[in-house]
Amino acid sequence: MVDLLALTLAQQLPEQKQGETAGFSWQWLGEGLLQCTPKTAYRKTIVLSAGIHGNETAPIEMLAQIIQDVFAGQLALAVRVLFVLGNPAAIRQGVRYLENDMNRMFCGGYQNLIQDQETARAAQLEQAVAAFFEQDQLATQRYHYDLHTAIRASLLPVFALFPYQTQPYDDFLIQSLNAANLDALVYHNAAGKTFTHFSTERFQAASSTLELGKAKPFGENDLAEFASTDLMLRAVLSEQPLPVRQKSAVRQFKVVDSILKQSEDFQLNLSADAPNFSTFQQGEEIATQQAGAYIAHDQQVWILFPNSNVKTGLRAGLILKEIK
């Protein structure tokens, strides 16, 4: 048994770095990195990550429980999987990040920052994912589910984002997200430096960032709130039929613009606790700063991840339109 979360929190090495059970072999690849390979033939190679933001604890706890059940034989592994706890230092401190947002560091983004333990970690994760996917020369299907929680509440509580890509989005990925009873799917309109954009751009993995409720400290999460996502991931890992969707049709949105914070006087025309998917009507002022006001141009738009506290030069919110 490898308790990846306990090892990460205690900053300890496992007693042994590889081994096997009746159903799979495993290898500890470094802090927060565990690779498991089934002994039977497999069709899918999956990266399952959480904790890129250290204070987003519900997905970390979910991942730890899945790993525990895999080792206990209660979840039969039918795919090759790399479990990732993304930012161990931030996880231990219970903070989103130490110096810079790690989910803006991928695709080489860490090279443009002052080098520290988080930029080194982003480079390590890129190398680990590259080695993991490149080890499979077979025609396996590559997937990446990156689990997060949002800083603030959301009018659509559970949703997923797709990194920008020019090829069609993977049918099975969309089916699995539907099966997780997500409220919304959001399609990016431009290349980014997120973990999922890295796996999509570099390795053509079918990737998605899942946002599961609001960030809370360890021990304060009600994982029952995310039971549908947990059931979906277990079905994916064990190659069992996906759960049947229990909600009305998922809503779909596309990103039409990003609001950039260009100066310290930047202000969003939202209350500090305004939820994700808050709306603006045509002509309404969304944000102001020295460079000028940002006005809603379309009949109705939605805002996602509004955050005026980001560093200057970073994205302070995404503007969405609904896809009918």
Side-chain angles (χ1 to χ4, degrees):
M1 169 67 190
V2 178
D3 190 334
L4 194 63
L5 178 55
L7 289 169
T8 302
L9 290 174
Q11 208 168 352
Q12 290 180 344
L13 302 177
E15 291 182 4
Q16 57 188 94
K17 295 186 178 181
Q18 58 187 21
E20 57 181 72
T21 71
F24 64 94
S25 60
W26 60 269
Q27 189 175 4
W28 185 82
L29 301 177
E31 189 172 39
L33 297 169
L34 178 66
Q35 175 179 302
C36 297
T37 304
K39 291 183 176 178
T40 53
Y42 56 90
R43 299 179 300 159
K44 294 186 176 75
T45 301
I46 296 174
V47 174
L48 186 52
S49 55
I52 293 293
H53 295 136
N55 64 337
E56 298 176 1
T57 58
I60 297 170
E61 292 176 356
M62 184 189 300
L63 208 64
Q65 187 63 57
I66 287 174
I67 293 170
Q68 182 176 320
D69 289 350
V70 167
F71 274 87
Q74 296 172 4
L75 178 60
L77 199 62
V79 301
R80 184 164 168 265
V81 60
L82 176 64
F83 295 106
V84 176
L85 295 180
N87 191 339
I91 291 170
R92 285 189 285 271
Q93 293 190 29
V95 295
R96 184 172 172 83
Y97 51 82
L98 304 185
E99 295 295 335
N100 290 288
D101 189 336
M102 188 179 283
N103 214 27
R104 304 289 179 272
M105 290 188 193
F106 294 96
C107 300
Y110 57 86
Q111 296 168 346
N112 301 321
L113 298 169
I114 295 172
Q115 299 303 290
D116 58 22
Q117 61 181 312
E118 285 175 311
T119 59
R121 179 62 172 177
Q124 183 188 18
L125 292 183
E126 286 197 353
Q127 292 160 9
V129 169
F132 176 69
F133 280 138
E134 289 168 355
Q135 281 166 11
D136 265 337
Q137 300 303 319
L138 305 173
T140 59
Q141 301 160 286
R142 295 171 173 175
Y143 291 89
H144 181 189
Y145 297 88
D146 187 30
L147 310 181
H148 289 253
T149 57
I151 295 174
R152 58 181 66 219
S154 179
L155 295 175
L156 300 171
V158 284
F159 58 97
L161 298 102
F162 294 110
Y164 174 74
Q165 61 185 55
T166 52
Q167 69 267 31
Y169 290 88
D170 182 84
D171 285 341
F172 178 79
L173 179 63
I174 293 173
Q175 290 166 16
S176 67
L177 297 174
N178 263 300
N181 285 330
L182 299 187
D183 298 302
L185 302 177
V186 178
Y187 296 82
H188 272 290
N189 68 335
K193 297 194 183 300
T194 62
F195 199 10
T196 51
H197 191 89
F198 169 73
S199 57
T200 291
E201 183 182 86
R202 282 283 305 278
F203 305 103
Q204 291 71 57
S207 304
S208 181
T209 303
L210 280 72
E211 298 282 351
L212 309 174
K214 190 176 178 183
K216 296 177 182 178
F218 279 121
E220 295 185 18
N221 298 297
D222 179 5
L223 294 186
E225 294 178 26
F226 316 115
S228 296
T229 299
D230 183 62
L231 285 172
M232 177 275 285
L233 291 173
R234 289 167 181 267
V236 168
L237 294 177
S238 58
E239 288 274 45
Q240 295 299 306
L242 292 169
V244 176
R245 183 174 177 84
Q246 302 296 321
K247 288 184 178 179
S248 55
V250 67
R251 294 174 69 178
Q252 299 192 72
F253 298 83
K254 62 179 180 180
V255 177
V256 293
D257 207 356
S258 294
I259 301 177
L260 293 181
K261 180 176 180 176
Q262 296 172 293
S263 54
E264 285 301 322
D265 66 335
F266 178 89
Q267 284 189 313
L268 283 165
N269 189 24
L270 282 169
S271 64
D273 59 352
N276 282 314
F277 294 98
S278 292
T279 57
F280 289 91
Q281 307 305 313
Q282 191 170 36
E284 288 187 330
E285 188 177 77
I286 299 175
T288 58
Q289 56 187 327
Q290 190 174 347
Y294 187 96
I295 307 295
H297 298 297
D298 294 290
Q299 186 173 355
Q300 185 178 41
V301 296
W302 287 256
I303 189 165
L304 191 59
F305 306 138
N307 184 3
S308 58
N309 295 321
V310 296
K311 293 184 177 182
T312 302
L314 293 184
R315 183 189 78 199
L318 293 173
I319 302 302
L320 313 179
K321 283 182 67 175
E322 188 161 12
I323 305 169
K324 300 297 185 183

